[in-house]
Amino acid sequence: MTQRPIDAALARDFGLSEEEYARALAIMGRPLTLAELGVFSVMWSEHCSYKSSRTWLSQLPTKAPWVIHGPGENAGVVEIGHGLACVFKMESHNHPSFIEPYQGAATGVGGILRDVFTMGARPIANLNALRFGDPRHPVTRRIVDGVVRGIGGYGNCVGVPTVGGEINFHPAYNGNPLVNAMTVGVAPVDRIFLSAAAGVGNPVVYVGSKTGRDGIHGATMASAEFGKDAEEKRPTVQVGDPFTEKLLIEACLELMQTDAIVAIQDMGAAGLTSSSVEMAGKGGVGIDLDLDAVPQRETGISAYEMLLSESQERMLMVLRPEKAEAARMIFEKWQLDFAVIGRITDTGRFVARHQGRVEADIPLAPLADQAPVYQRPIAEPAKPAELPPARAENRWGLAEALERLLGTPDLASRAWVWEQYDSTIGGQTVKRPGAADAAVVRIEGQTMALALTTDCTPRYCAADPEAGGRQAVAEAWRNLTATGARPLAVTDNLNFGNPEKPEVMGAFAAAIRGMAAACEALNFPVVSGNVSLYNETEGRPILPTPAIGAVGVIDDAAAAVGIALGPWLDLVLIGQTRGWLGQSLWLREIAGREEGAPPPVDLAAERAAGDFVRGLILNGTVRACHDVSDGGLLVAVAEMAMAGNVGVRLSAGPREIPGHAYWFGEDQGRYVLAVPDGPAVVRAAEAAGLAAVRIGHSGGADLTVPDGGTISIAKLRAAHEAFFPAFMGS
Amino acid sequence: MKAVVTVMLKDGVLDPQGKAIGQALAGLGFAGVGEVRAGKVIELELAETDPTRARATAEAMARRLLANTVIESFRVQVEPA
Amino acid sequence: MKAVVTVMLKDGVLDPQGKAIGQALAGLGFAGVGEVRAGKVIELELAETDPTRARATAEAMARRLLANTVIESFRVQVEPA
Amino acid sequence: MKPGIVLFPGINRERDMAIALERAFGHAPRIVWHTETDLGELDLLVLPGGFSYGDYLRCGAMAAQTPVMGAVRAHAERGGYVLGVCNGFQILTEAGLLPGALLRNAGLRFISADCHLRVERTDTAFTAQWQQGAVFRAPMAHGDGNYFADTATLDRLEGENLVAFRYVTARGEVTPEANRNGSARSIAGIFSPNLRVLGLMPHPEDLVDKLLGGEDGAPLFASLAAA
Ligand SMILES: Nc1ncnc2c1ncn2[C@@H]1O[C@H](COP(=O)(O)OP(=O)(O)O)[C@@H](O)[C@H]1O
Ligand SMILES: [Mg+2]
């Protein structure tokens, strides 16, 4: 591909620092081949090596009695009962989605699906967490359109329901949207497949699609920030083939019914290189690859290109030799390529041969052990001051402010988006998008269901990353709880800017501190995740965005509740309200200011309120439940009313809190319950030491607010549903 | 004038559709089919009567909207309406 | 030979995609755009070296699979590979 | 009646369909692979939804050319029952077992949402358990559900009373808003002239369980089980 000498300058173009290149030379004790330079550069890229984040990630709690596999495998695995395990992970495809939104998002979904079915789990649900730029920015519409089509195009075709997600808009994402995709699968606990290779002489088998020159150096691209030359990085975009992925799922799951597989690993970032290096490395063995045997889509692909190609829909397996022929027949039945491309060795080396030459011969232990780890300098983020109450004076009526808030991009109905995602396929979706705080998906053949959510509030994280990290985890936990589910574990996707900037790294460290505290207090371990750094354009970083994906279990799917309000019910607010307007949507959207400290999360109170609410849901007391988050109490009530198409009459709040602060403040740890007998629930909550108050009751067709305003639910719904169709022009 | 813009995936970019069509044709017994590529064609009626300018306009449309030049290439043919 | 099969919706079959493209082009400021039709093109490499036979094969493929003649019409061009 | 599900590569709603059939018939359907040509003693062949062959080229086009479709055609010609849902409906039109074609949705976007369907006749093996004019809810999930046929064909379908279901409002009215994919004359499903072949776009099989939002789709399967 190049006549350039293999030297430090070329290494720099490949993303290796001078020091890293010197280290590679020392390991090899001789000049590197082009293929070897490629292997070092991708394995030591931020994306594959976690060199900036590793020291911080170790602070996250990862253990609980129900955790079967925490971070370190393709996906996290937790036990859910009845001999079953839930396998899940979230992963980013931010950079590719900026360059080519449809294919970037589509291949993001494809990649995370593979991480889950690689482990033997049938994928049963997809979710996503999306951040886009200002809707008024000229490229935002095109990116939203492509990303939404791409997620739907891949997920719908592959036949996995897309059941949830979240979307924010903020100018900080103008040049760097975030596309985080999560897949959840289910497998028998005794049939989980891992990636550590074993068995000297065992065949290394390639299955799936043929290899082309797709996405070469995607892993290093994902680890570099965008400059003005982003255009030129374009050929690294890959095209997804969800049809082939569907065949690959069925073929792999069929093979997994047998005992043919010793180890299996998807080919994700850095393709054949990272999959084979990781499999051999984890197993403490060597691997010998014959690149001539790799199924190829084009002619003349070099060893370097073959090792780094990120062609999609491919897997690598180590098989028991006597089972290889039976395995081949399964893949041929599904019209997929199947090729023995190497052997496991006892050399501890990664060897790749091509056309009679050894193109790479690297000792695996030092490649892993001497991978760079950086203790990057951090600048501790300054704690913002609390917003003094006097600074948030109100000039707007409650109903007027509510109607406007419901129509703003961050609160508007997402129906336009989720109606492009098949959410019912599989025939198990108990709570579809919009129906509950978390999606609820029953497990086929069981009465139990999983509750699934993704959450993060980047404006809180920007103001105070530690508080934001706590809040993101707490909100995910709360959303699961609000359906009646028992929260089990977390996957995360840590999206940040350039880690070489102390303030970015400081925010990263603080966010992890906050997440860790919340995970610890809520007994909610992190079992998988992904880090995406260098999310900047021309030096401007995104808002710190530690997206949380979370899974809970509910033993009887029929007990799950949603947010839709029925008529003639009392509304009870559980949790303490102080009227916290700092960093609230009311402050930003109505008062036009982004100020103050975000609402703090009292983790003990969070847990107490959640455990109480879950108990009431599971004993059948609660007809509908909604947590209070973006937009505050009045928005939560309005969302319940719109979902149930029923009116609400609200009573006045406490006199010591200004009305707008009471109704739009974003104090944490709160739920609105719809129950037949409000006073009884208030008494029970108070007995449990919780703040609780009956705030109104349902009925009629209007929302009546305590300052005298009234607005029809139909009018609220019109305001709520207008934004997306108007913005997207359909 | 009439402009016909043909948009194809660039060489080297995976064409899942072309691949599936090729396999289906083989399954139907058509022999001797090599590579199959699938693309889009957009036919435009343009008020412009000068062929050179019509071509330039169609090319601008292709670059702006009709083709995604990240993964697609295009060609333009111009004919009298 | 190389065969290029172009498949268009028949006249009388509504083409919302063509219409949407036309509207988008107008939105981008392209003036003087009349009707826009969107279709598909399939490029096939054929082992066949005789142009007449190559055309006949491609037409058979179009009738059998590449076009749905309930809604679509097709045309075939044959060129040396 | 013995049901079987015909499976093409890329079909993905076969599990949903199997659950719905098993609920109604009391036993699991046989799964028929696209390469099979011997359908044994099956009475009802169901072509479920999904993306056969990725929906590449045209939805259903490649599946319509597979070996099993010869057997499906022969079964239909013998007067056997065939049900095609979503991609299955598309395959049946591509194979010429039902007239017309399914075009891209008028709005050019995939639609995953509940719709309401009106039952246009109840004297068939598929619809006997509904009341004439009944309206039921069904999820739709498709990008190409815009039913098209030329005017003569549409007139014939209506003249021979072969429209099975129409997209309507919850109150049973035909309106443009209720017809989200833009189908000709709001047609959501059609019968063959002998009333033995039914194709429809929405998914009654995904609404046969109270827990999942209702049992609106169950009468279709109950009708077949009783036929
Ligand atoms: N932020 C994080 N929190 C917890 N675990 C993480 C995090 N980021 C990565 N991991 C874990 O590190 C491992 C490697 O992740 P990744 O490189 O994304 O995997 P792959 O590319 O093979 O899918 C995985 O086990 C993943 O779950
Ligand atoms: Mg992986």
Side-chain angles (χ1 to χ4, degrees):
Chain A
M1 80 154 237
T2 171
Q3 298 298 313
R4 284 178 59 181
I6 295 160
D7 57 13
L10 185 64
R12 183 163 347 98
D13 290 352
F14 276 35
L16 287 179
S17 73
E18 208 149 308
E19 196 277 324
E20 289 166 349
Y21 178 59
R23 193 181 302 188
L25 280 176
I27 289 174
M28 297 300 291
R30 60 166 169 78
L32 274 60
T33 66
L34 182 66
E36 287 165 347
L37 180 64
V39 170
F40 275 98
S41 70
V42 294
M43 292 313 297
W44 288 2
S45 71
E46 193 66 61
H47 192 83
C48 292
S49 74
Y50 292 86
K51 58 191 170 191
S52 301
S53 59
R54 209 148 36 149
T55 58
W56 300 104
L57 290 179
S58 59
Q59 295 185 2
L60 293 168
T62 60
K63 294 198 165 56
W66 51 89
V67 174
I68 299 176
H69 292 290
E73 291 300 334
N74 281 309
V77 183
V78 297
E79 192 163 356
I80 54 175
H82 302 276
L84 296 174
C86 173
V87 180
F88 66 105
K89 183 167 186 247
M90 180 151 57
E91 192 149 87
S92 65
H93 235 208
N94 304 336
H95 294 74
S97 300
F98 178 61
I99 294 171
E100 211 302 288
Y102 184 98
Q103 294 297 343
T107 53
V109 173
I112 192 61
L113 280 163
R114 286 192 292 284
D115 269 332
V116 167
F117 72 80
T118 286
M119 300 197 72
R122 177 172 286 280
I124 64 161
N126 281 333
L127 295 93
N128 52 74
L130 310 176
R131 321 285 161 187
F132 299 115
D134 188 336
R136 286 161 304 193
H137 188 275
V139 308
T140 304
R141 188 173 169 277
R142 188 183 63 87
I143 293 178
V144 173
D145 182 65
V147 167
V148 170
R149 281 183 197 275
I151 289 172
Y154 206 101
N156 298 346
C157 181
V158 87
V160 176
T162 300
V163 297
E166 55 168 355
I167 301 174
N168 290 133
F169 294 90
H170 193 280
Y173 304 105
N174 279 351
N176 201 125
L178 301 184
V179 174
N180 297 170
M182 171 172 166
T183 293
V184 181
V186 171
V189 283
D190 54 359
R191 296 205 70 76
I192 303 290
F193 291 81
L194 304 180
S195 58
V200 171
N202 276 346
V204 175
V205 171
Y206 169 120
V207 296
S209 277
K210 291 185 183 2
T211 295
R213 293 185 170 91
D214 312 78
I216 291 175
H217 266 203
T220 40
M221 172 180 79
S223 310
E225 82 186 67
F226 279 131
K228 280 234 157 73
D229 64 342
E231 302 271 308
E232 283 153 37
K233 294 193 173 131
R234 285 183 161 181
T236 56
V237 170
Q238 310 126 32
V239 169
D241 180 359
F243 170 56
T244 296
E245 180 106 332
K246 168 69 175 163
L247 303 183
L248 195 55
I249 293 176
E250 299 304 333
C252 287
L253 292 179
E254 189 173 328
L255 180 61
M256 285 162 169
Q257 302 289 314
T258 74
D259 61 351
I261 299 174
V262 177
I264 177 165
Q265 164 85 27
D266 64 297
M267 289 194 227
L272 190 51
T273 295
S274 77
S275 54
S276 52
V277 165
E278 280 172 21
M279 288 176 88
K282 279 187 189 160
V285 294
I287 193 164
D288 229 45
L289 296 181
D290 169 16
L291 299 180
D292 298 300
V294 170
Q296 293 161 51
R297 202 167 77 217
E298 304 170 47
T299 52
I301 304 185
S302 71
Y304 161 83
E305 291 170 319
M306 213 133 28
L307 286 171
L308 296 220
S309 162
E310 294 189 352
S311 290
Q312 301 286 297
E313 291 92 22
R314 303 179 302 163
M315 306 281 247
L316 200 63
M317 313 185 292
V318 178
L319 298 183
R320 292 185 212 295
E322 70 281 10
K323 299 292 164 72
E325 270 320 294
R328 177 190 299 276
M329 282 168 62
I330 291 175
F331 283 87
E332 282 175 356
K333 171 182 141 196
W334 289 100
Q335 300 181 347
L336 295 164
D337 274 289
F338 177 105
V340 176
I341 64 161
R343 303 264 157 217
I344 297 302
T345 67
D346 60 2
T347 61
R349 300 182 78 85
F350 169 81
V351 178
R353 298 167 210 277
H354 189 222
Q355 299 180 342
R357 286 177 40 183
V358 173
E359 293 283 356
D361 182 355
I362 302 175
L364 285 162
L367 179 63
D369 302 342
Q370 294 182 43
V373 178
Y374 294 123
Q375 193 71 55
R376 305 259 190 215
I378 62 168
E380 200 54 50
K383 286 275 177 199
E386 280 185 31
L387 188 77
R391 301 249 5 243
E393 273 158 35
N394 183 35
R395 291 184 271 120
W396 300 270
L398 291 175
E400 177 199 0
L402 173 66
E403 187 183 356
R404 267 180 58 198
L405 263 180
L406 288 177
T408 57
D410 274 0
L411 280 178
S413 165
R414 272 85 177 104
W416 182 89
V417 174
W418 78 58
E419 286 194 346
Q420 296 181 56
Y421 302 153
D422 190 337
S423 55
T424 54
I425 185 163
Q428 304 295 337
T429 309
V430 178
K431 297 291 177 205
R432 301 184 197 176
D437 281 329
V440 177
V441 181
R442 190 174 55 189
I443 293 166
E444 200 178 306
Q446 305 282 335
T447 51
M448 69 175 163
L450 296 176
L452 312 167
T453 183
T454 62
D455 292 286
C456 179
T457 312
R459 64 179 188 282
Y460 295 170
C461 299
D464 180 343
E466 181 170 358
R470 280 162 86 95
Q471 192 275 340
V473 171
E475 183 170 348
W477 187 88
R478 201 182 304 145
N479 280 331
L480 300 178
T481 297
T483 66
R486 187 168 77 250
L488 291 177
V490 162
T491 182
D492 65 48
N493 207 139
L494 307 175
N495 307 275
F496 287 78
N498 180 346
E500 295 156 43
K501 294 183 180 166
E503 60 286 3
V504 169
M505 223 39 227
F508 184 85
I512 291 211
R513 206 156 60 227
M515 286 167 57
C519 290
E520 200 73 63
L522 300 170
N523 206 5
F524 200 31
V526 176
V527 295
S528 61
N530 179 253
V531 177
S532 173
L533 300 175
Y534 296 97
N535 290 291
E536 309 210 342
T537 302
E538 290 168 32
R540 284 190 305 276
I542 58 162
L543 304 185
T545 312
I548 302 297
V551 171
V553 68
I554 181 159
D555 296 322
D556 178 4
V561 299
I563 67 168
L565 194 55
W568 322 125
L569 294 170
D570 281 348
L571 295 182
V572 174
L573 172 66
I574 304 288
Q576 191 72 48
T577 302
R578 286 159 54 186
W580 194 283
L581 286 174
Q583 296 301 335
S584 68
L585 281 181
W586 182 90
L587 191 70
R588 189 178 86 189
E589 301 290 344
I590 305 296
R593 311 206 313 262
E594 295 182 60
E595 280 173 46
V601 177
D602 174 340
L603 291 166
E606 182 77 55
R607 186 155 183 175
D611 290 347
F612 174 76
V613 167
R614 188 180 317 105
L616 281 191
I617 293 171
L618 295 180
N619 74 20
T621 305
V622 177
R623 301 294 162 78
C625 175
H626 192 12
D627 80 310
V628 180
S629 55
D630 278 344
L633 180 54
L634 190 53
V635 166
V637 170
E639 286 170 346
M640 296 176 80
M642 289 187 291
N645 207 15
V646 62
V648 173
R649 176 174 289 274
L650 292 169
S651 332
R655 217 166 295 131
E656 61 278 15
I657 303 177
H660 64 289
Y662 182 76
W663 292 104
F664 295 116
E666 296 182 1
D667 302 82
Q668 298 293 298
R670 299 185 297 162
Y671 300 80
V672 179
L673 307 183
V675 295
D677 181 356
V681 168
V682 170
R683 279 195 302 277
E686 283 171 352
L690 295 166
V693 55
R694 182 174 169 280
I695 56 170
H697 66 272
S698 63
D702 298 324
L703 176 67
T704 305
V705 286
D707 67 356
T710 290
I711 185 165
S712 73
I713 301 304
K715 200 167 170 213
L716 283 181
R717 173 170 297 140
H720 194 223
E721 289 173 359
F723 167 74
F724 262 101
F727 170 46
M728 297 305 296
S730 64
Chain B
M1 307 286 306
K2 182 173 154 189
V4 179
V5 180
T6 306
V7 180
M8 303 294 292
L9 285 166
K10 285 181 180 167
D11 284 344
V13 175
L14 175 70
D15 177 6
Q17 185 159 226
K19 190 175 103 184
I21 294 170
Q23 284 175 351
L25 288 172
L28 287 175
F30 289 102
V33 184
E35 204 187 1
V36 179
R37 308 280 293 171
K40 288 179 289 207
V41 54
I42 298 110
E43 298 184 356
L44 306 137
E45 273 176 19
L46 300 181
E48 179 59 63
T49 52
D50 175 71
T52 315
R53 279 202 299 263
R55 168 180 299 278
T57 305
E59 285 178 355
M61 290 171 173
R63 268 189 304 273
R64 275 298 284 287
L65 181 75
L66 306 178
N68 175 351
T69 53
V70 177
I71 49 174
E72 294 170 330
S73 60
F74 64 87
R75 58 178 187 266
V76 172
Q77 277 167 285
V78 173
E79 3 177 310
Chain C
M1 307 286 305
K2 182 173 154 187
V4 180
V5 180
T6 305
V7 179
M8 302 297 291
L9 286 171
K10 282 181 178 169
D11 288 342
V13 178
L14 205 66
D15 176 11
Q17 202 179 351
K19 211 171 102 190
I21 293 171
Q23 285 168 352
L25 288 172
L28 289 174
F30 288 102
V33 183
E35 203 188 0
V36 180
R37 308 278 296 169
K40 285 179 281 216
V41 54
I42 298 111
E43 297 185 358
L44 306 137
E45 273 176 19
L46 300 181
E48 180 60 61
T49 52
D50 175 71
T52 314
R53 279 202 300 262
R55 167 180 299 277
T57 305
E59 285 178 354
M61 289 172 174
R63 268 191 304 273
R64 202 57 206 288
L65 180 73
L66 304 179
N68 176 349
T69 52
V70 173
I71 45 172
E72 294 168 329
S73 59
F74 65 88
R75 55 177 189 266
V76 173
Q77 277 167 286
V78 174
E79 359 176 316
Chain D
M1 169 131 31
K2 279 216 169 80
I5 290 180
V6 185
L7 205 52
F8 305 91
I11 285 296
N12 57 27
R13 256 188 166 84
E14 76 281 7
R15 307 161 75 81
D16 316 34
M17 186 60 79
I19 291 168
L21 288 169
E22 192 168 348
R23 276 176 104 95
F25 286 74
H27 56 91
R30 178 180 143 199
I31 301 293
V32 180
W33 189 238
H34 63 111
T35 51
E36 291 182 48
T37 50
D38 179 4
L39 302 176
E41 68 297 22
L42 292 174
D43 304 298
L44 166 67
L45 300 176
V46 182
L47 281 63
F51 286 68
S52 57
Y53 298 91
D55 272 0
Y56 297 142
L57 187 63
R58 280 185 322 281
C59 305
M62 296 183 204
Q65 304 287 342
T66 52
V68 76
M69 283 309 290
V72 173
R73 182 174 286 110
H75 172 83
E77 280 163 3
R78 280 196 307 271
Y81 291 108
V82 182
L83 169 64
V85 174
C86 199
N87 201 212
F89 184 18
Q90 294 162 339
I91 295 168
L92 292 177
T93 60
E94 280 283 342
L97 282 166
L98 289 172
L102 283 309
L103 303 175
R104 290 286 300 278
N105 292 345
L108 297 173
R109 290 185 189 277
F110 193 93
I111 304 173
S112 166
D114 282 357
C115 62
H116 287 93
L117 298 180
R118 189 174 70 203
V119 181
E120 300 293 77
R121 64 186 289 180
T122 54
D123 57 341
T124 78
F126 297 94
T127 56
Q129 306 259 331
W130 272 297
Q131 301 286 314
Q132 179 72 29
V135 173
F136 70 101
R137 214 156 40 89
M140 52 180 177
H142 58 248
D144 300 72
N146 180 351
Y147 184 71
F148 171 87
D150 59 36
T151 307
T153 305
L154 292 171
D155 289 345
R156 180 179 65 78
L157 284 172
E158 290 186 329
E160 295 176 16
N161 198 11
L162 297 178
V163 176
F165 305 108
R166 277 197 164 82
Y167 299 105
V168 292
T169 64
R171 290 216 210 84
E173 299 140 354
V174 169
T175 69
E177 295 73 37
N179 180 23
R180 287 184 62 179
N181 59 26
S183 288
R185 303 188 193 176
S186 289
I187 291 174
I190 53 173
F191 294 112
S192 62
N194 69 356
L195 303 174
R196 296 297 181 98
V197 182
L198 167 65
L200 79 162
M201 283 313 296
H203 292 283
E205 76 276 17
D206 277 327
L207 215 50
V208 294
D209 185 341
K210 279 212 183 81
L211 187 50
L212 304 187
E215 297 178 303
D216 283 51
L220 173 66
F221 304 98
S223 300
L224 285 166

mmCIF file of all heavy atoms in Angstrom, chain A residues 380-392:
data_model
loop_
_atom_site.group_PDB
_atom_site.id
_atom_site.type_symbol
_atom_site.label_atom_id
_atom_site.label_comp_id
_atom_site.label_asym_id
_atom_site.label_seq_id
_atom_site.Cartn_x
_atom_site.Cartn_y
_atom_site.Cartn_z
ATOM 1 N N GLU A 380 -9.166 18.782 38.315
ATOM 2 C CA GLU A 380 -10.410 18.529 39.058
ATOM 3 C C GLU A 380 -11.455 19.570 38.658
ATOM 4 O O GLU A 380 -11.176 20.761 38.701
ATOM 5 C CB GLU A 380 -10.087 18.621 40.559
ATOM 6 C CG GLU A 380 -11.076 17.941 41.486
ATOM 7 C CD GLU A 380 -11.328 16.471 41.158
ATOM 8 O OE1 GLU A 380 -10.349 15.694 40.989
ATOM 9 O OE2 GLU A 380 -12.503 16.110 41.081
ATOM 10 N N PRO A 381 -12.617 19.146 38.202
ATOM 11 C CA PRO A 381 -13.617 20.142 37.805
ATOM 12 C C PRO A 381 -14.082 20.976 38.996
ATOM 13 O O PRO A 381 -14.197 20.465 40.114
ATOM 14 C CB PRO A 381 -14.771 19.306 37.244
ATOM 15 C CG PRO A 381 -14.497 17.898 37.631
ATOM 16 C CD PRO A 381 -13.062 17.770 38.023
ATOM 17 N N ALA A 382 -14.312 22.238 38.730
ATOM 18 C CA ALA A 382 -14.796 23.118 39.795
ATOM 19 C C ALA A 382 -16.242 22.775 40.103
ATOM 20 O O ALA A 382 -17.022 22.473 39.214
ATOM 21 C CB ALA A 382 -14.703 24.574 39.337
ATOM 22 N N LYS A 383 -16.595 22.793 41.387
ATOM 23 C CA LYS A 383 -17.987 22.541 41.781
ATOM 24 C C LYS A 383 -18.800 23.805 41.518
ATOM 25 O O LYS A 383 -18.451 24.874 42.031
ATOM 26 C CB LYS A 383 -18.066 22.212 43.275
ATOM 27 C CG LYS A 383 -17.551 20.823 43.614
ATOM 28 C CD LYS A 383 -18.636 19.762 43.445
ATOM 29 C CE LYS A 383 -18.044 18.366 43.716
ATOM 30 N NZ LYS A 383 -18.860 17.296 43.162
ATOM 31 N N PRO A 384 -19.843 23.730 40.739
ATOM 32 C CA PRO A 384 -20.648 24.931 40.500
ATOM 33 C C PRO A 384 -21.422 25.317 41.758
ATOM 34 O O PRO A 384 -21.741 24.465 42.590
ATOM 35 C CB PRO A 384 -21.607 24.504 39.393
ATOM 36 C CG PRO A 384 -21.684 23.023 39.504
ATOM 37 C CD PRO A 384 -20.380 22.550 40.082
ATOM 38 N N ALA A 385 -21.700 26.601 41.865
ATOM 39 C CA ALA A 385 -22.483 27.066 43.015
ATOM 40 C C ALA A 385 -23.941 26.690 42.808
ATOM 41 O O ALA A 385 -24.423 26.605 41.678
ATOM 42 C CB ALA A 385 -22.347 28.575 43.141
ATOM 43 N N GLU A 386 -24.634 26.491 43.920
ATOM 44 C CA GLU A 386 -26.078 26.278 43.832
ATOM 45 C C GLU A 386 -26.739 27.540 43.316
ATOM 46 O O GLU A 386 -26.317 28.651 43.636
ATOM 47 C CB GLU A 386 -26.656 25.923 45.202
ATOM 48 C CG GLU A 386 -26.451 24.492 45.570
ATOM 49 C CD GLU A 386 -27.140 24.139 46.882
ATOM 50 O OE1 GLU A 386 -28.182 24.743 47.190
ATOM 51 O OE2 GLU A 386 -26.609 23.270 47.584
ATOM 52 N N LEU A 387 -27.788 27.350 42.537
ATOM 53 C CA LEU A 387 -28.508 28.501 42.009
ATOM 54 C C LEU A 387 -29.322 29.127 43.131
ATOM 55 O O LEU A 387 -30.180 28.475 43.715
ATOM 56 C CB LEU A 387 -29.449 28.025 40.901
ATOM 57 C CG LEU A 387 -30.150 29.105 40.110
ATOM 58 C CD1 LEU A 387 -29.194 29.732 39.104
ATOM 59 C CD2 LEU A 387 -31.356 28.503 39.399
ATOM 60 N N PRO A 388 -29.058 30.403 43.456
ATOM 61 C CA PRO A 388 -29.869 31.015 44.513
ATOM 62 C C PRO A 388 -31.321 31.137 44.026
ATOM 63 O O PRO A 388 -31.541 31.520 42.875
ATOM 64 C CB PRO A 388 -29.251 32.405 44.690
ATOM 65 C CG PRO A 388 -28.034 32.439 43.823
ATOM 66 C CD PRO A 388 -28.118 31.327 42.849
ATOM 67 N N PRO A 389 -32.285 30.837 44.881
ATOM 68 C CA PRO A 389 -33.693 30.834 44.462
ATOM 69 C C PRO A 389 -34.108 32.150 43.830
ATOM 70 O O PRO A 389 -34.864 32.171 42.855
ATOM 71 C CB PRO A 389 -34.449 30.603 45.770
ATOM 72 C CG PRO A 389 -33.451 30.003 46.696
ATOM 73 C CD PRO A 389 -32.089 30.453 46.262
ATOM 74 N N ALA A 390 -33.574 33.251 44.314
ATOM 75 C CA ALA A 390 -33.991 34.554 43.790
ATOM 76 C C ALA A 390 -33.590 34.711 42.333
ATOM 77 O O ALA A 390 -34.180 35.491 41.599
ATOM 78 C CB ALA A 390 -33.351 35.659 44.620
ATOM 79 N N ARG A 391 -32.592 33.938 41.902
ATOM 80 C CA ARG A 391 -32.114 34.097 40.538
ATOM 81 C C ARG A 391 -32.982 33.344 39.529
ATOM 82 O O ARG A 391 -32.685 33.314 38.366
ATOM 83 C CB ARG A 391 -30.662 33.616 40.423
ATOM 84 C CG ARG A 391 -29.707 34.347 41.328
ATOM 85 C CD ARG A 391 -28.705 35.250 40.598
ATOM 86 N NE ARG A 391 -28.886 35.368 39.166
ATOM 87 C CZ ARG A 391 -28.003 34.966 38.272
ATOM 88 N NH1 ARG A 391 -26.884 34.400 38.644
ATOM 89 N NH2 ARG A 391 -28.217 35.140 36.986
ATOM 90 N N ALA A 392 -34.013 32.694 39.998
ATOM 91 C CA ALA A 392 -34.873 31.970 39.069
ATOM 92 C C ALA A 392 -36.297 32.465 39.196
ATOM 93 O O ALA A 392 -37.231 31.720 39.412
ATOM 94 C CB ALA A 392 -34.798 30.472 39.351
#
